[in-house]
């Protein structure tokens, strides 16, 4: 950060008062001083680079301009990556974050959901033919699975791919309006190709969902090919720079070899060859979901940085009458709103690091066909995707509301952060659908334990415990708090399993029983996921030392206590916590708020977001918020003319018609 | 609703299955068959009228066009009102809702915060001079109070009005950047005048906040007057058609008589005359807050109509494998998300009706100087404004998320409903500030009771109760459920009062004690407000009969049970509810979901929103959602050209630079 900036004195004071070194925490987060230095170099480089492109601030331009600027920025990003020879995913993520801060862009699926699934689904021959075109942007693509009428239930998709042996072609077709492909990112205007998921029909038999490579636009003119109707789906809550699209296929013929044939195949005569193992496809989805955990967590980190810095600068109302207006961060209610979000930001950061590491460990095993860890990885990544996208979206919105009126302005950067985060509750697997997959795994582990089988170590909390009451006392020992989350998750899981059993005994079939207990199952899976997050946050804290350990342990404790207090019934209902133990928690929560107050600004400084990523008048490092807000306002498009055409066209004639009709007296131009 | 429309068969079936007559419920809500007929006539009239104006759907145009269209629609609205001779507020609200469905408009404060406060604050002479100009739109105005650096704390405002006896003028001045007026609706481009709140300084003494009438633009040219810098504040999360503005005054001189002089005055020589009673000003704010309760409630009613109809049409996944995809409304999790919002929609509707009626009863008393009921009205309207804006904003967002991907599209109408509702958490008194005012009243009533004084009947729940345990049993008797809310509110209020006392004994001054217990105070005030809502909903239900009573009682019970379950700790912690009683609640909740399932669509139909108000592809009466969604997409601005200029300018050169650089093989335009 530039040392020469004039920094708001309240922020200067906050930074002087911290009891720990934020720089050390930054090193912890980014993997040491060297990697931190590299992070800063990379992010600052592209932030400056983007400025030189002459693009305007996202919030100040129309959607069409946002789209155009995203194309421009992406070209710059890829050039920069290639010039610097950047290939590792950490560096790439940091560059993306700095070029597209809480913004989507049309090419977002080029790797994640075009090249990657293609690589997993295509034969060696197909890869040799098409991968170079994809990697060098001759083909710009996306993944066309969801349809207007169909989302996460794959078997419900209506698009058909009917094999015609006479020409050795597949005929891709959208038979109904509800079968139109809808939502794929970049599909509307940008992509010239896509992977289409369709019901494969050959020799009169439907073999279910398969993947096909479809060219949709001419590679030179970019005009849609014959039989293809394609376009942008229109304005959305967010993701505005992305041309999420629709695609209607009217008996479009593609060569047989455009079916991706690594796992299953159709021979020239139309004979269908089955895949050896279709579980191999899970890996890719799991990878995207672990990415979503990271993205959601970063958004909350951004929002909490903005809200806490602004709350240190903003002065509003008095605590003692006549003693002057105080920093709003001194209000207990403001701390109560923001500090749990700060704790959640760190908690989900560690959850993200841990699940990514787990994925990197397990995915080579899966690649070589060892699927032992896949169910656990799948359950955990699904649960974490749902839990973190919910937690972070809610948290971003709490931060926005805590910034009062100015939080509602796009100048704050918070609306943009929210719409981007809440989208993650729906895309890549709707959260209820996903968390119920986690619940399914919990039920499976219950059954395994009941039958005396081994479960992964992480699931050991499900074993019957000797203690049905907590040892928690005023010290709020970490282990005792963790044990409370473990006890709750185990009890809720067992209760859900018991209810399932009862439903089945009553005569419901397994599908009905699942549905009629799904609220309980969701609750159990959330409790399990929260236990996991509480644990990994604790494990990270336990590796820290000194003053850093001290402040982070308090933050962890706030996370734990806050989550217990907000679901207090869960812990009281079976008597695990006593009334007396519970009476310790709310005062402890308030004491933790007070204790964390002096370190709050440094705790967000340590997250180390440059101003270019925050993109916020309120969250600036230097705290010069009103100057920035005013500057933002001056750039409003409505201010381009002093008297708008709309005034002459609509306002003036209306006003005249009223005052002339009603014989208003004064017609002077000055009162 | 047009009977000739082809209605989705699932919706037809839902409507046939209802156990009650939605038409009777509609009559109940709108005051009988005649008033319902009039409501429909008025809303349909202007919906058709707006269509003829040729304006485009809000979500499909730029912010500048939204603003322009709002000017156009407002002129049409006022003309229609005058043609029909409409003066009563119910009719006006219905027309506004139909012309600006979940949309703001630039003239929104002309009556609510320009003419109304002017009427309350101006002398008779001033009213005679200026009211005709205001009512006939010669003056278009707004209310300029908040500044960049200052919100709800009036004494903190920096704008000064210094009296100059030599010219008998006030000099209005914005001394700093933080003193620039910021946020007033319509101020940026539309208003040519406003009421300015400023520190009155005369004879070297500051007499605090006073109101002044300031002309800001020439009445003929609409150019800003000398010394005035005014403009739009830029894009926001929502309220896009509104030109919320900023205003900087550089020693602007206005005649002495532009100070509004009903209550306090400045004589020509600069002598200040004090007001007799400054509490008279509360009335106006209370009126706007009761309006906010109604607006927030209507938004939730709209959202839940959209989400429940769509959930009846949308089919997704199977409950029994192979049995076909089911209506998503059949999933327990979907019912669990939506039905509590349906209950909250009705609960807040009745809360709104009741507080408005209370306001209408009390306000003539206040007008004639009898202020006995003012504290209660103030506490209740502040609490309800906060409670309903929180509840409804959260509820709208739950509805949006429950519509999956399509809920994220602006075509759903749900993003628009959300951004409009969440704004109500901040404007007209930030919710935490307001709910703490309710808490202050609760503390006052506690003191009064302790000192043996009378409190209003509504506050009788605070009297010590004989029973410290609940009589609740499996029948879930309404009175027992209400008693649980009363007990909780009383206990939390007394606990908060006790904590305040403890803080003061420990040596905190009253301001510090208030702050260090404010989280508890907020919780107590929320519990009190929720008790009130539970009660007024119950009272409404108790006037119903037959099948309507039956279904509405179930809906009420769901509201009550759901609110207990989501704050279960509050009811368990002091043993008021036993573990055994609590074990009844979750199964009861699930049974109520099941019971309400067949009536859900009719319960939203009864809210009687025409399609023009829902403005939603998903919520349409006829359920033809995919056709509407596709139609919406085709109108996206990005689809105006098949190949965008942005492609030629940025995408094509980028792609070429990549594939040529990396010598990609194929350069054919077809794969």
């Amino acid at each position: 950060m530039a040392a020469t900036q004039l920094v708001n004195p309240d922020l200067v004071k906050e930074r002087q008062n911290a009891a720990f070194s934020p720089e050390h925490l930054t090193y912890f987060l980014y993997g040491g001083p060297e990697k931190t230095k590299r992070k800063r170099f990379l992010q600052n480089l592209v932030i400056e680079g983007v400025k030189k492109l002459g693009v305007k601030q996202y919030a100040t331009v129309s959607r069409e301009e946002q789209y155009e600027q995203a194309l421009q920025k992406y070209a710059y990003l890829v050039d920069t990556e290639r010039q610097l020879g950047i290939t590792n995913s950490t560096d790439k993520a940091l560059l993306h974050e700095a070029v597209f801060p809480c913004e989507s862009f049309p090419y977002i699926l080029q790797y994640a959901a075009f090249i990657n699934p293609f690589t997993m689904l295509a034969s060696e021959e197909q890869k040799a033919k098409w991968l170079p075109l994809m990697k060098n942007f001759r083909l710009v693509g996306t993944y066309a699975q969801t349809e207007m009428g169909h989302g996460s239930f794959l078997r419900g998709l209506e698009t058909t791919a009917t094999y015609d042996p006479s020409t050795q072609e597949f005929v891709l077709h959208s038979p109904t309006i509800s079968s139109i492909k809808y939502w794929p990112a970049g599909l509307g205007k940008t992509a010239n190709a896509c992977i289409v998921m369709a019901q494969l029909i050959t020799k009169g038999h439907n073999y279910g969902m398969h993947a096909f490579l479809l060219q949709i636009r001419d590679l030179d003119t970019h005009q849609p090919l014959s039989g293809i109707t394609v376009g942008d789906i229109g304005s959305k809550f967010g993701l505005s720079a992305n041309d999420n699209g629709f695609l209607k296929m009217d008996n479009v013929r593609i060569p047989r070899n455009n079916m991706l044939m690594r796992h299953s195949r159709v021979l020239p005569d139309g004979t269908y060859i089955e895949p050896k193992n279709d579980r191999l496809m899970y890996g890719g989805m799991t990878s995207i979901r672990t990415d979503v955990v990271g993205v959601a967590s970063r958004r909350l980190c951004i929002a909490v940085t903005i809200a806490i810095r602004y709350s240190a600068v903003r002065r509003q109302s008095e605590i003692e009458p006549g003693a002057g207006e105080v920093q709003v961060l001194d209000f207990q209610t403001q701390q109560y709103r923001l500090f749990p979000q700060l704790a959640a930001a760190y908690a989900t950061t560690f959850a993200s690091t841990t699940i990514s590491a787990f994925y990197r460990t397990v995915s080579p095993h899966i690649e070589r066909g060892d699927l032992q860890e896949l169910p656990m990885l799948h359950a955990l990544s699904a649960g974490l995707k749902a839990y973190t996208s919910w937690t972070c979206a809610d948290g971003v919105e709490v931060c926005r509301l805590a910034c009062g009126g100015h939080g509602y302005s796009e100048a704050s950067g918070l609306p943009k952060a929210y719409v981007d985060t809440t989208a993650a509750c729906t895309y890549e697997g709707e959260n209820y659908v996903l968390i119920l997959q986690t619940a399914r795994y919990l039920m499976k582990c219950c059954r395994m334990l009941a039958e005396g089988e081994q479960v992964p170590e992480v699931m050991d909390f499900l074993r019957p415990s000797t203690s049905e009451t907590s040892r928690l006392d005023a010290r709020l020992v970490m282990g005792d708090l963790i044990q409370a989350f473990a006890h709750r998750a185990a009890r809720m899981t067992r209760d859900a399993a018991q209810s399932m059993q009862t439903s089945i005994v009553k005569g419901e079939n397994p599908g009905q029983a699942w549905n009629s207990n799904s609220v309980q199952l969701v609750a159990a899976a959330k409790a399990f996921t929260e236990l996991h997050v509480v644990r990994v946050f604790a494990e990270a804290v336990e590796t820290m030392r000194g003053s850093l350990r001290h402040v982070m342990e308090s933050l962890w404790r706030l996370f734990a206590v806050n989550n217990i207090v907000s679901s207090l019934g869960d812990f009281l209902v079976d008597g695990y916590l006593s009334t007396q133990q519970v009476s310790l928690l709310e005062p402890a929560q308030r004491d933790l708020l007070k204790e964390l107050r002096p370190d709050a600004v440094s705790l967000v400084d340590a997250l180390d977001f440059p101003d270019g990523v925050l993109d916020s008048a309120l969250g600036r490092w230097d705290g010069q918020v009103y100057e920035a807000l005013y500057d933002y306002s001056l750039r409003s498009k409505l201010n381009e003319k002093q008297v708008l055409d709309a005034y002459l066209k609509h306002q003036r004639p209306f006003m005249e018609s009223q005052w002339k009709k009603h014989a208003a007296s004064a017609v002077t131009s000055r009162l």
Side-chain angles (χ1 to χ4, degrees), chain A residues 341-559:
Chain A
Q341 309 317 321
L342 178 62
Y346 275 96
T348 53
T349 297
F350 297 123
S352 159
T353 315
T354 313
I355 189 73
S356 295
F358 185 47
Y359 175 75
R360 279 195 306 274
T361 308
V362 169
S363 79
H365 308 175
I366 296 173
E367 265 300 302
R368 66 169 186 254
D370 172 2
L371 302 182
Q372 206 187 330
E373 292 144 313
L374 184 59
M376 175 69 202
L377 174 65
H378 179 66
L380 205 53
S381 64
L384 281 174
K385 185 273 189 185
Y387 181 87
T388 53
S389 59
W390 273 325
T391 301
C392 295
D394 289 353
V396 171
E397 196 60 347
V398 169
C399 291
R400 186 186 66 71
L401 284 160
C403 292
H406 297 336
Y408 196 80
S409 169
E410 293 276 1
S412 70
L414 293 166
K416 182 172 75 162
Y418 178 64
V419 294
D420 216 55
T421 314
T422 187
C425 296
T426 309
Y427 64 56
E428 301 304 336
E430 199 277 331
N431 275 359
Y432 274 85
V433 173
L434 284 190
I435 198 104
L436 279 168
Q437 294 181 13
T438 308
R440 209 172 275 284
Y441 181 71
L442 290 176
M443 292 301 105
K444 187 178 150 196
C445 290
C446 274
R447 268 196 312 277
M448 288 167 72
L449 282 169
E451 288 161 12
E453 289 179 49
Q454 283 290 324
V455 293
E457 201 185 322
V458 157
M459 308 306 290
D460 271 352
F461 72 97
L462 284 175
R463 292 182 187 281
S465 152
T466 48
S467 160
E468 290 301 314
T469 54
S470 172
R471 292 177 310 184
L472 191 72
D473 60 27
R475 294 168 301 158
L476 301 182
V477 174
M478 287 177 83
D480 292 341
L481 287 166
I482 294 174
Q483 196 48 43
F485 286 93
H487 174 84
R488 174 182 64 156
R491 180 188 59 77
M492 290 175 80
T493 303
R494 283 193 294 261
D495 284 358
Q498 184 60 51
S499 296
M500 282 283 294
Q501 202 50 46
T502 307
S503 296
I504 284 174
V505 168
K506 277 187 192 159
E508 293 184 19
N509 67 40
Q512 290 164 340
W514 185 260
N515 187 38
S516 59
N517 292 287
S518 55
V519 168
Q520 253 186 297
L521 288 160
V522 165
K526 277 190 194 172
F528 159 69
T529 311
E530 193 158 274
L531 164 65
H532 180 77
V533 174
V534 165
R535 268 182 183 163
V536 297
F537 188 1
E539 284 161 12
V541 169
E542 280 163 354
T543 66
M544 299 174 188
R545 292 292 167 261
S547 57
L548 180 57
R549 163 69 178 259
H550 185 79
V551 66
M552 290 301 285
E553 197 173 311
S554 296
L555 194 63
W556 178 87
R557 199 166 270 117
L558 178 67
F559 183 71

Side-chain angles (χ1 to χ4, degrees), chain A residues 306-327:
Chain A
I306 294 169
I308 286 183
R309 283 191 186 153
Y310 176 61
S311 297
V313 170
R314 176 76 171 181
R315 288 180 171 268
Q316 174 81 40
S317 298
E318 299 172 335
I319 288 176
E320 299 172 43
E325 291 193 273
V326 300
Q327 294 167 285

